[in-house]
Structure formats: structure tokens, C-alpha cells
């Protein structure tokens, strides 16, 4: 990969990555900050897209058009949707989709995709990164779903599980995968679990937000090192 794009929704999700960049220049496009420089000698464009699918879609298209990235990694935190996926576990995306868009609409309207498939080479690289870290995190593979709400309701959680059988839920990944698909750009969504997406999610999120964000970023750093 010649130039690697990295997206985090919030500042806490990219702070560790900024701190590790050898050099960077900061620019702003449409209100999004872009840090262009090097990480382990690789050309990197790091950005913060803000929360939500509209923000992440707009930011991803700018990352592709203006900065000509060859692949995209989305790093951040999420709520677990499987009993076996615990707090601070990693989820490596197999595919992504919108949990707040009907399946029929996804299938029958442009771009005629029920989900967007993550790049297999990047999936393997993320697994190797998890295995290489000194303190190896628990990691899982599976579908990641996104919607324009923070899921902190057990009934909504069960509805999403029954409809999509996902590993975790967040608010940006499916839009990033959607835009990457439209542009034929390889992508991977990587998430570390901060909460269980249930009635206790808000409290858990506050306690584990930074730890989870840094855990995901640590895996991204290892991936870049091995690229």
C-alpha cells in the first residue's frame, strides 16, 4: 500500500496515532482535520471524522479524492452484540452494513449491496497484529453494524442482533465501508469494545472509552509496522 488512510471518529481514538507519527502536516478540509505524514516510514493520512454516518461518509470521500489514499483503516470503539465478546476485546470486520436501513432497500437500490466486504489481506494483517502485540488482546471476526444512534437499550440491541447477527455496533464503520466500496478502495473496520450496548452502556462507555480507543489504535500501529 503506497498511502494509508486512517479514520477515527473522536479525538481520543486518534491521539495515540498522532503521538507516534514521525512527521506530519496538519490541514483542514470541510472542517475535518487531516494529518499527513509518516508512521514507521509509511505514508499516512490520519483524520478525525466526527460521530455519525454522514460525517464519516463525507470525510472518507475527501480522504480518497483529496489525499489519494490506497486503503482505509477505521479505528475506534463499539458496543458488543455477542455474549462471548467482552469489554476491551477487539472485533475485526468481515463486513459492514447499516442497521437503520432496511435490507430490501440495501439490496434493491444503488449500489445494490446488503453489506460491504472488508479486504481479506487487511483482515489477515489485523489478526497478525493482534498476535504480535506483547499483551495479546482477545479478538473476534464478524459483521459490524452502524446507525445514527448510540445503542444503549437492551430491546434495540436484541432487535439488531436478530436482524443482522453482528459482532458489534457503532456509528461510522458502515458508511466508511460503503464509500470505500463505491471507490473500489480496500478497507477494514477495527473496533475495541467499550460497552455491551445495553441499558448500562453509557456508564461502561465512560469507564472504558480511552482504554478501548488506545487498544484499537495499538493494533493499527502494529498493522502499519507490518505493511
Amino acid at each position: 500500500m503506497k498511502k494509508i488512510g486512517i479514520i477515527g471518529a473522536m479525538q481520543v481514538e486518534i491521539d495515540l496515532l498522532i503521538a507516534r507519527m514521525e512527521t506530519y502536516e496538519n490541514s483542514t478540509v470541510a472542517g475535518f482535520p487531516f494529518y499527513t505524514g509518516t508512521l514507521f516510514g509509511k505514508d499516512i493520512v490520519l483524520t478525525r471524522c466526527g460521530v455519525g454516518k454522514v460525517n464519516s461518509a463525507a470525510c472518507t470521500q475527501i480522504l480518497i479524492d483529496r489525499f489519494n489514499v490506497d486503503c482505509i483503516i477505521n479505528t475506534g470503539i463499539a458496543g458488543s452484540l455477542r455474549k462471548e465478546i467482552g469489554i476491551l476485546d477487539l472485533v475485526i470486520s468481515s463486513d459492514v452494513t447499516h442497521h437503520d436501513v432496511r435490507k430490501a432497500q440495501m439490496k434493491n437500490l444503488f449500489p445494490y449491496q446488503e453489506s460491504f466486504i472488508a479486504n481479506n489481506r487487511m483482515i489477515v494483517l489485523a489478526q497478525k497484529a493482534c498476535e504480535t502485540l506483547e499483551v495479546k488482546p482477545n479478538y473476534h471476526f464478524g459483521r459490524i453494524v452502524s446507525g445514527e444512534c448510540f445503542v444503549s437499550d437492551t430491546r434495540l440491541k436484541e432487535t439488531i442482533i436478530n436482524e443482522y447477527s453482528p459482532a458489534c455496533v457503532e456509528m461510522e464503520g458502515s458508511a466508511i465501508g460503503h464509500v470505500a466500496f463505491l471507490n473500489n478502495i480496500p478497507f477494514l473496520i477495527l473496533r475495541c469494545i467499550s460497552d455491551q450496548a445495553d441499558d448500562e452502556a453509557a456508564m461502561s462507555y465512560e469507564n472504558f472509552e480511552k482504554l478501548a480507543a488506545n487498544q484499537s489504535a495499538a493494533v493499527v500501529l502494529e498493522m502499519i509496522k507490518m505493511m
Side-chain angles (χ1 to χ4, degrees), residues 135-165:
V135 180
K136 296 177 176 58
N138 294 324
Y139 63 89
H140 312 262
F141 303 97
R143 171 173 289 176
I144 296 177
V145 294
S146 311
E148 293 288 2
C149 67
F150 178 75
V151 177
S152 57
D153 179 276
T154 301
R155 287 179 296 178
L156 176 58
K157 174 181 177 177
E158 292 302 323
T159 298
I160 295 170
I161 291 170
N162 292 335
E163 184 75 12
Y164 296 98
S165 301

Side-chain angles (χ1 to χ4, degrees), residues 7-10 12-14 16-17 73-82 84-93 126 130 133 135-145 150 167-173 188-197 201 204-220 223:
I7 303 175
M10 301 177 294
V12 69
E13 293 171 330
I14 65 170
L16 181 61
L17 297 166
I73 303 170
N74 173 219
T75 180
I77 59 183
S80 172
L81 294 179
R82 291 184 190 166
E84 69 271 21
I85 301 178
I87 301 295
L88 300 184
D89 283 8
L90 266 294
V91 176
I92 301 167
S93 64
C130 289
L133 287 173
V135 180
K136 296 177 176 58
N138 294 324
Y139 63 89
H140 312 262
F141 303 97
R143 171 173 289 176
I144 296 177
V145 294
F150 178 75
C168 66
V169 61
E170 34 86 310
M171 298 179 67
E172 297 82 29
L188 181 76
I189 312 301
L190 184 67
R191 285 287 189 270
C192 187
I193 299 302
S194 61
D195 59 84
Q196 295 292 338
S204 177
Y205 175 90
E206 290 180 7
N207 291 333
F208 293 102
E209 174 190 18
K210 186 172 182 179
L211 286 171
N214 285 344
Q215 179 76 290
S216 183
V219 176
V220 174
M223 288 177 68

Side-chain angles (χ1 to χ4, degrees), residues 2 34-35 66 71 87-88 93 95 101 120 129 156 163 198 205-206 215:
K2 294 180 180 179
F34 292 89
Y35 304 87
R66 186 73 66 94
C71 68
I87 301 295
L88 300 184
S93 64
D95 65 323
V101 179
N120 189 64
L156 176 58
E163 184 75 12
D198 55 14
Y205 175 90
E206 290 180 7
Q215 179 76 290

Side-chain angles (χ1 to χ4, degrees), residues 33-62:
F34 292 89
Y35 304 87
T36 305
T38 59
L39 187 57
F40 302 114
K42 314 298 194 315
D43 290 331
I44 297 293
V45 184
L46 173 65
T47 183
R48 184 188 72 239
C49 67
V51 172
K53 293 194 297 177
V54 176
N55 284 331
S56 56
C59 187
T60 301
Q61 193 63 57
I62 293 169

